[in-house]
Amino acid sequence: MESTLQEMRDGASVLDLEPKSTVAGGVRDVYGEDTATEDQLVTPWSLSVASGYSLLRDPHHNKGLAFNDKERDAHYLRGLLPPAVVSQEVQVKKLMHIIRQYQLPLQKYMAMMDLQERNEKLFYKLLIDNVEEMLPIVYTPTVGEACQKYGSIFGRPQGLYISLKEKGRILEVLRNWPEKNIQVIVVTDGERILGLGDLGCQGMGIPVGKLSLYTALGGVRPSACLPVTIDVGTNNEKLLNDEFYIGLRQRRATGQEYSELLHEFMSAVKQNYGERVLIQFEDFANHNAFDLLAKYGTTHLVFNDDIQGTASVVLAGLVAALKLVGGTLADHKFLFLAGTGIAELIALEMSKQTNMPVEETRKRIWLVDSKGLIVGSRKESLQHFKKPWAHEHEPIKTLLDAVNDIKPTVLIGTSGVGRTFTKEVVEAVASFNERPIILALSNPTSQSECTAEEAYTWSKGRAIFASGSPFAPVEYEGKVYVPGQANNAYIFPGFGLGLIMSGTIRVHDDMLLAASEALAAQVTQENFDKGLIYPPFTNIRKISAQIAANVAAKAYELGLATRLPQPKDLVKYAESCMYSPAYRSYR
Ligand SMILES: NC(=O)C1=CN([C@@H]2O[C@H](COP(=O)(O)OP(=O)(O)OC[C@H]3O[C@@H](n4cnc5c(N)ncnc54)[C@H](OP(=O)(O)O)[C@@H]3O)[C@@H](O)[C@H]2O)C=CC1
Ligand SMILES: CC(=O)C(=O)O
Ligand SMILES: [Mg+2]
C-alpha cells in the first residue's frame, strides 16, 4: 500500500496508514468506521511526518537497509545508510543467523525486544516466519525469566504502568499513551506470573508478550494493542529488597484499595476507548481473577485468558484426543490438579452434548487443590469457585491417592507447582488406561507437572501428552514421540480478532466453545498419526482466522456483535483484517 499526499494533509504521519488515518472529526480504523472522537484525541502528542534521521529511529516505519534509493531521496535518508539495499527476507535471514548464535534464551529475548524497538515490521515478519522457533523466546518459557529479571533488562517502556501513585489520574495516564485507537488491552497485576508467583510490576513482560502474539498469531495491528501493568505493590520479598526493582516498594494493597484502583482503571478504559475495546485479564491470582471476571463481565468486553482461554484450548485438545482414545467427553473421567475454570467449560460442553444438567456432568470431574481432593466436607471453607466441585467423597490428601481412588482417564495439572506428576502418579494413570491423556499445563518449563520424557517413559510410550511450555520430541524404545503444546496462545489471538472484527460487546461462554470447536477441527490426520492433539503453530494465522470466524459467527447469532451487516464469508473477512508485516513502499 502506498501513502499519498492527501493522507499527509489529513494529518497522519505519511507512513502511519496501516490501517488508520486521522480524518477530520475522528480516527478511522481498519474497517473504515470512526472509532474515536476529537475529544479522545486531546493528548500531549502531535502527529508528525517522520523523515530523515528520525525516520530511522521510528520503529513503526523504519525499514533500515530495505529503504530503496527513491525512498532514500524522498525521505532525506541519503548518506544516513550504507549504500546496499536489501530485501526484508534478507534482513530476516541475517537476524536469524545472529539470534541463533546466542547461547542463552534471554539473550535471544533481548535481541527480539531490541528489534521490536528498532523495526516493528521486521520483528513481526521474523516472528511470523519462524514462529515455532521464536515462540519459546518471546513467550513461555523465556518470557518468564525476562519478567524475573525485568528490572535489570528494562530499557524503554513497552506499555503503561498504572500504580497506586496514579490513583485518581488514570484517565490522564491512558491519554499519555501515543496510540489512540486501541482495540485490545492485556492487563496484569503481576501477582501470579506464569507459575513463578508474584513478580509485581515486572510482570509487564507478560502483557507485552501476549500482545506481540495478538499481532503475530492473530493479525491484530500493533498500534491497536496496549500492554498495561497495574502496580499495587508486591509481596515478593526478594524484589522488595532488589535495588533494581522497578515497581512500588510496598506490600500489595488489597480489599477496598485494590478494588478502587481496578474500578477506576476499568471505568477510564471504557471512557477513553469506548465499549468495544477488549480487556484481557492476564496472570491475576485466582482469588482476584474470578471476582474481576464476574464483576466486569456484564459491563465490559472482558476475557480472562487464564480461565477462559485455557479452558477453550484444553477442551479443543480433549475433543481432538477423543479421536485417538474413543468415546465421548461424558465417557471419560477427569482429575484436575487445580483448574476450576477449565473444568467448568468441559462440564458445560458435556452438558450440551448429553442434555444432562451441568450439575450432573460436573460429577465426572474431580479436583485436587493444595489441601487434597475437593470434597463435600470441605464445602464451608472453600472459595466460591471451588464449591461446585465439592463432591461427596471421603477426604483424600495426596494426588497419588486421588488418582488411585478416582481412576481418571484424563489427568490435567495447572497448579503452577512443578514435578507433581511423579513416576508413581503417571504409572498409576497408565495402569488403568491404554492411552492415558496427560496435560501438564503449568508454565514455564521449570513448573511443568512432568516433562515429556517422563510422561512417555513412565507410561511406556502410551500417554497422549501435551504441556503448557514446549518440549522437544522424545525418543523412547526406538520410537519418536512429539509432544503437543496445550497453551492458550492457540486461542486468545483468534478469539480476540473474532471479537474485534465483529464489534462484539460482551464475551459469552458459547464463544469459548466455538473457539474450541474451530481449533479441534484444525487437527489433521497427519497430526493424529504423530499422537498430536494440537496442530503445529506454523499454520497459526490460518487457524486464528478459523477461530475468529467461529467466534464472530457465534457473536452475531447471540446478537452481541455490533458491526453490521455481518460479512458473508467470515473466514475471508478475518484474513482480510489481519495485519501484514510486509514493508510498504513510501513515495
Ligand atoms: N498452559 C496454559 O495455557 C496455561 C497455564 N497456566 C499455568 O497454570 C498455573 C497456575 O495458574 P493459576 O491456576 O492461574 O494459578 P493460581 O496461583 O491462581 O492458582 C493455583 C492453584 O493451584 C493450587 N495448588 C497450589 N499448589 C498446589 C499443590 N501442591 N497441589 C495441588 N494444588 C496446588 C492452588 O490451590 P489452593 O487454592 O488450595 O491454594 C490453586 O487452586 C501456572 O503455572 C500457569 O503458568 C495458566 C494459564 C494458562
Ligand atoms: C499461558 C499462560 O497464560 C500462563 O501460563 O499464565
Ligand atoms: Mg496467563
Side-chain angles (χ1 to χ4, degrees):
M1 187 201 297
E2 298 225 339
S3 314
T4 65
L5 281 174
Q6 177 58 45
E7 286 152 349
M8 263 174 94
R9 276 197 299 275
D10 281 340
S13 157
V14 65
L15 308 172
D16 190 12
L17 294 168
E18 190 176 271
K20 80 167 187 215
S21 58
T22 306
V23 293
V27 169
R28 288 222 169 131
D29 70 5
V30 65
Y31 314 102
E33 288 189 20
D34 290 351
T35 54
T37 64
E38 269 178 343
D39 178 50
Q40 288 169 306
L41 295 172
V42 176
T43 89
W45 302 95
S46 60
L47 294 171
S48 61
V49 178
S51 71
Y53 194 70
S54 59
L55 176 54
L56 298 178
R57 297 270 157 171
D58 174 356
H60 307 302
H61 307 117
N62 180 25
K63 301 202 279 184
L65 288 181
F67 281 114
N68 63 29
D69 284 324
K70 278 188 182 159
E71 290 168 331
R72 292 179 190 202
D73 283 334
H75 296 288
Y76 306 95
L77 296 170
R78 277 278 155 210
L80 298 182
L81 292 163
V85 175
V86 301
S87 67
Q88 198 180 24
E89 284 66 29
V90 170
Q91 288 180 309
V92 168
K93 190 174 166 191
K94 183 178 84 174
L95 279 163
M96 284 307 294
H97 179 71
I98 293 169
I99 288 171
R100 283 177 184 140
Q101 287 179 23
Y102 290 123
Q103 297 295 313
L104 303 174
L106 192 62
Q107 291 172 320
K108 297 184 189 204
Y109 176 89
M110 288 169 71
M112 286 300 279
M113 292 306 106
D114 184 52
L115 176 60
Q116 194 173 19
E117 281 177 12
R118 214 159 18 88
N119 183 335
E120 188 177 81
K121 281 194 184 278
L122 191 54
F123 169 83
Y124 283 112
K125 175 81 178 147
L126 185 148
L127 184 52
I128 292 167
D129 290 356
N130 298 277
V131 66
E132 296 261 0
E133 185 174 346
M134 296 315 292
L135 211 53
I137 302 301
V138 299
Y139 193 53
T140 183
T142 312
V143 72
E145 187 186 354
C147 288
Q148 288 174 311
K149 298 177 179 161
Y150 207 76
S152 303
I153 64 175
F154 177 79
R156 287 195 207 162
Q158 297 170 293
L160 271 182
Y161 295 88
I162 298 177
S163 78
L164 288 168
K165 282 192 197 171
E166 280 71 55
K167 195 160 188 280
R169 300 170 53 188
I170 296 183
L171 190 58
E172 198 186 311
V173 173
L174 291 180
R175 287 177 175 173
N176 285 344
W177 187 249
E179 301 292 346
K180 302 300 143 205
N181 190 11
I182 298 300
Q183 293 174 325
V184 193
I185 292 172
V186 175
V187 57
T188 187
D189 72 354
E191 189 167 4
R192 193 281 288 147
I193 294 299
L194 307 178
L196 300 171
D198 184 351
L199 297 185
C201 192
Q202 301 195 167
M204 180 57 105
I206 292 294
V208 169
K210 290 274 176 184
L211 283 164
S212 66
L213 303 199
Y214 255 106
T215 299
L217 278 47
V220 177
R221 65 194 158 83
S223 60
C225 298
L226 173 58
V228 175
T229 294
I230 307 256
D231 185 353
V232 294
T234 178
N235 295 339
N236 184 326
E237 288 299 332
K238 201 169 156 220
L239 288 180
L240 287 172
N241 293 316
D242 178 353
E243 64 172 324
F244 297 141
Y245 181 55
I246 55 171
L248 283 186
R249 228 166 264 274
Q250 65 166 72
R251 294 187 74 77
R252 272 186 182 275
T254 55
Q256 196 178 341
E257 199 181 4
Y258 178 87
S259 345
E260 279 178 7
L261 193 74
L262 264 291
H263 192 68
E264 186 189 336
F265 168 70
M266 295 302 288
S267 308
V269 164
K270 201 164 167 179
Q271 188 178 341
N272 205 41
Y273 304 117
E275 177 137 55
R276 295 191 295 193
V277 64
L278 170 62
I279 303 170
Q280 174 165 318
F281 293 120
E282 194 69 54
D283 290 10
F284 284 74
N286 273 339
H287 59 92
N288 287 319
F290 283 96
D291 292 347
L292 287 170
L293 192 57
K295 182 168 176 186
Y296 294 105
T298 52
T299 54
H300 291 65
L301 181 65
V302 290
F303 167 67
N304 185 301
D305 185 37
D306 301 301
I307 298 172
Q308 298 172 301
T310 314
S312 187
V313 81
V314 168
L315 178 59
L318 293 175
V319 168
L322 293 179
K323 295 233 168 82
L324 293 170
V325 297
T328 65
L329 278 180
D331 295 328
H332 286 267
K333 210 189 267 186
F334 301 81
L335 182 62
F336 279 81
L337 191 63
T340 54
I342 311 171
E344 190 60 39
L345 197 71
I346 294 171
L348 182 66
E349 176 63 14
M350 235 190 254
S351 160
K352 283 188 187 265
Q353 288 181 4
T354 57
N355 284 328
M356 277 198 284
V358 76
E359 291 74 19
E360 279 305 305
T361 57
R362 284 191 188 121
K363 291 182 181 159
R364 311 282 306 161
I365 303 175
W366 296 83
L367 274 90
V368 169
D369 67 7
S370 65
K371 297 184 184 64
L373 192 66
I374 299 183
V375 291
S377 55
R378 289 177 54 192
K379 212 162 188 168
E380 289 312 303
S381 60
L382 285 174
Q383 289 158 294
H384 64 89
F385 52 86
K386 290 184 186 167
K387 288 193 171 153
W389 307 100
H391 308 320
E392 286 317 314
H393 197 284
E394 288 299 301
I396 295 183
K397 280 271 173 256
T398 70
L399 177 65
L400 180 60
D401 287 346
V403 166
N404 280 321
D405 191 281
I406 306 290
K407 298 194 171 32
T409 55
V410 181
L411 179 65
I412 300 178
T414 173
S415 70
V417 183
R419 305 298 176 268
T420 38
F421 292 175
T422 58
K423 186 165 188 274
E424 291 72 24
V425 166
V426 173
E427 282 177 350
V429 186
S431 71
F432 22 77
N433 293 292
E434 183 49 36
R435 308 254 5 227
I437 299 172
I438 301 178
L439 305 184
L441 301 180
S442 291
N443 296 315
T445 318
S446 59
Q447 308 310 111
S448 189
E449 283 74 12
C450 65
T451 64
E453 186 169 13
E454 288 166 346
Y456 294 124
T457 310
W458 294 338
S459 68
K460 300 199 173 5
R462 287 185 286 118
I464 295 169
F465 176 78
S467 52
S469 297
F471 280 105
V474 172
E475 197 179 323
Y476 172 72
E477 295 196 340
K479 197 173 160 197
V480 174
Y481 295 84
V482 187
Q485 191 175 351
N487 194 296
N488 50 31
Y490 276 109
I491 292 290
F492 71 79
F495 189 82
L497 178 66
L499 299 176
I500 294 167
M501 74 186 206
S502 56
T504 294
I505 51 164
R506 297 286 176 268
V507 168
H508 189 284
D509 280 349
D510 285 356
M511 297 174 196
L512 300 171
L513 297 178
S516 259
E517 192 185 285
L519 176 57
Q522 296 303 307
V523 191
T524 62
Q525 192 53 50
E526 195 191 338
N527 304 147
F528 284 128
D529 292 345
K530 289 185 188 154
L532 283 169
I533 52 174
Y534 293 101
F537 270 108
T538 31
N539 295 330
I540 188 65
R541 283 197 148 207
K542 283 204 171 331
I543 296 167
S544 293
Q546 297 286 341
I547 293 173
N550 250 29
V551 169
K554 187 54 75 180
Y556 281 107
E557 189 188 316
L558 294 168
L560 291 167
T562 61
R563 212 176 292 278
L564 300 169
Q566 175 177 345
K568 277 204 182 66
D569 186 333
L570 283 165
V571 176
K572 276 211 178 95
Y573 184 61
E575 283 170 347
S576 75
C577 290
M578 285 187 172
Y579 163 85
S580 161
Y583 289 141
R584 281 171 297 139
S585 98
Y586 305 143
R587 263 192 254 144

